[in-house]
Structures are given as C-alpha cells and as structure tokens.
Amino acid sequence: MRVFGRGRVRTAALALLAAAALAGGTAATAPAAAAAHTAKKGPTSVAYIEVNSNSMLNVGKYTLANGGGNVFDVAVIFAANINYDTSKKSAYLYFNDNVQRVLDNAQTQIRPLQAKGIKVMLSVLGNHQGAGFANFPSKTAATAFAKQLSDAVTKYGLDGIDFDDEYAEYGNNGTGQPNSSSFVYLVSALRDSMPGKLISLYNIGPAASRLSYGGVNISSKFNYAWNPYYGTWGVPGIALPKSALSPAAIDITATPTSTASSLAKRTVSEGYGVYLTYNLDGSDRHTYISGFTKQLYGSDAVYTP
C-alpha cells in the first residue's frame, strides 16, 4: 500500500541526542510561567499545525485527565519555505501570509503555548524553486541560510527549527543537484548559532540521507527525528537514541483510531521517546486523541475550548 509524507497527504487530499540541556532552552521572551507547567511521564508528543487553515492555539486545548499535563509537548508551525532568488542566485527564508501572521502575532499565537510549557518550532519546507537544504554550493551559502533561520528563531521567540526536505525540486532555476556537504554545513552552522534550541528532522528527502561529510556526522546535532509517513511505523535512519526518535506517525484527520492507538502502544513497548501527529484542526478531537494518550500516558485526553 502506498503511503504519503505530510506534504504528499495534503497534495493527495487537495489533488541527538535529546539531552535536557538542548531541549531545555526557551525563547527569552517567553513567559516565566512556562517553567510551572504540569509535568507528565511518557513520550514527547509532537503536533504539526497547518497554519494555512488551523490555529496554533489548538495545541494548547488538550490536557490529560490524570494530572492535567499537556497532551502535546511540541507544536510545529507548518510551514515556512526555502525559496530561491534567481537574481542573487541564493536561497532565502520565506513566510507566506499565514505563517507571517502567526509570527507577527507571537504574543497571542505562540506565547500562550510557551506559557503552558509547550515548545514552538518552525518547520521549513521546499517550495518548488530548486532551493533545498541539500544543494547549497558552498559552506558560505549554507551558513548564510542558517543565520536566516537562527535570526527568525531569535526575532520571533521560537524554540527551534524543523527540516522537511520535500518539494525543493532540485535543478529548477538552474540550481544544483543534492551534494554531500550542504546539509552538514547547514545543520552544523545552525547548531553553533543556537546551542540551546531544538533542531528536528522530518526524515525524508535527499538531505535526510546526507548526514555525514568530511569526518563530521551531524546526527547528534538533532534533538529529534521522525518517520514522515502517516499511519505507519518506521524507525528513522539516524544515529540518535530511542528517546529522540518517533517511528510512529499519524494524521489526526485521516489515520484510523485503532492505528493511532496501536502505534502509541508500540512506541511505549519498544521504548521510543517521541510520538508524531499531524493536522490537528479546530474540532474537538479528544475522543480520538484519548485513543493514543491512554497508551502513551495511561490517561484520557480532555478538550478545553
């Protein structure tokens, strides 16, 4: 049966260490109340939000019936883009109107989540223009884009960056094909510029298979990596501990409840530390979500509008 990555689901529908020292960094502008959130035991739950159609605030509406902890620990803004300037022949970070609106309204769209102890990351995705994480022509070019990413994290008070190497369409606009050094240079520079923030890998595309160059392996520079195919189980091929990996991936609006539950059960039984979800919308999904929170945390989910 054919399965799809996140962007592929949308297209079809419409047509590290995870060390506490790294994971602990929050934006300097986030409310101090973030430290007081209710703790829970179990895997880290991640929610990708399609901000073209849904609110980031949906992530903060779910808690556990037992103990009141957040269901979701990480919220990912999906998505910014890596675009290509044909006149300058260089990649640049691009925000569509909906992403820009979330960022510009960080006080009402991001800070409330951080105040609950939820980390907020920005996912970056190709945009059919030939620019991607795997084809920077030089260390200088890769480092320049890394600076754009870290500057955005600083400017908007975010908790990290997620790399999703889909839809680059390498070669468009005269760009190069993937090379061995590009992603290594990019991630190395990004980690150097934001040592206390999160970096995650959506394990797909040419970049995901180019993690080593010149004696440098960037695997340990990631906090998390996850399976990109919803409704399936697949251990990411990266040298991270189980605590940093999500072999399970579900689409909340499409993956059957039984599958979401069984993948959650397997996550716990096999000792993995992350559970990935996509497409949390504005509907009350607590019944569906309870199907996996009972396996992950031994508790039903509660929805608070």
Side-chain angles (χ1 to χ4, degrees):
M1 184 177 82
R2 186 177 181 190
V3 293
F4 298 88
R6 167 177 47 264
R8 292 174 174 82
V9 169
R10 186 178 65 248
T11 300
L14 297 176
L16 212 129
L17 295 175
L22 288 177
T26 56
T29 53
H37 70 281
T38 304
K40 70 180 183 187
K41 293 183 179 179
T44 295
S45 289
V46 180
Y48 276 89
I49 304 299
E50 288 266 13
V51 297
N52 287 341
S53 53
N54 296 304
S55 170
M56 291 298 295
L57 297 178
N58 294 337
V59 182
K61 295 179 180 180
Y62 294 90
T63 55
L64 297 175
N66 298 340
N70 298 314
V71 166
F72 299 105
D73 305 286
V74 179
V76 185
I77 300 168
F78 186 75
N81 296 105
I82 177 171
N83 278 13
Y84 189 70
D85 186 322
T86 55
S87 61
K88 296 181 179 179
K89 297 188 183 304
S90 62
Y92 67 95
L93 182 61
Y94 171 77
F95 308 133
N96 71 23
D97 290 345
N98 295 306
V99 172
Q100 189 68 68
R101 183 169 56 250
V102 170
L103 297 174
D104 287 343
N105 292 281
Q107 289 300 324
T108 58
Q109 298 298 307
I110 295 172
R111 302 293 172 262
L113 298 179
Q114 292 172 327
K116 295 174 183 283
I118 299 169
K119 304 288 188 180
V120 179
M121 302 180 69
L122 178 67
S123 187
V124 185
L125 178 72
N127 202 18
H128 314 281
Q129 297 183 10
F133 314 128
N135 70 342
F136 286 103
S138 67
K139 184 176 182 178
T140 298
T143 301
F145 189 73
K147 185 177 188 305
Q148 292 184 50
L149 295 175
S150 62
D151 284 351
V153 168
T154 299
K155 179 177 180 178
Y156 298 108
L158 301 171
D159 295 299
I161 293 292
D162 172 67
F163 288 107
D164 181 349
D165 191 14
E166 297 181 276
Y167 307 116
E169 296 187 19
Y170 291 103
N172 279 2
N173 291 312
T175 58
Q177 292 300 312
N179 62 64
S180 299
S181 63
S182 176
F183 198 43
V184 173
Y185 287 147
L186 175 61
V187 175
S188 296
L190 183 62
R191 175 50 75 206
D192 287 346
S193 64
M194 48 179 229
K197 299 293 184 177
L198 301 173
I199 303 177
S200 60
L201 176 66
Y202 189 77
N203 189 46
I204 200 169
S209 62
R210 290 167 169 80
L211 304 179
S212 183
Y213 176 77
V216 176
N217 188 299
I218 57 173
S219 296
S220 64
K221 299 182 187 297
F222 292 96
N223 295 88
Y224 304 115
W226 28 69
N227 171 20
Y229 299 107
Y230 299 110
T232 74
W233 178 272
V235 180
I238 182 173
L240 285 172
K242 282 187 171 184
S243 61
L245 298 176
S246 181
I250 68 164
D251 180 334
I252 289 174
T253 64
T255 302
T257 302
S258 58
T259 302
S261 177
S262 65
L263 290 173
K265 182 177 182 179
R266 187 172 179 182
T267 296
V268 173
S269 67
E270 297 192 19
Y272 287 95
V274 189
Y275 187 81
L276 178 66
T277 76
Y278 166 68
N279 217 15
L280 178 66
D281 59 17
S283 302
D284 178 355
R285 300 282 182 179
H286 85 275
T287 300
Y288 178 94
I289 290 171
S290 292
F292 64 78
T293 59
K294 284 186 285 189
Q295 299 295 335
L296 296 174
Y297 312 116
S299 175
D300 284 319
V302 175
Y303 175 74
T304 304

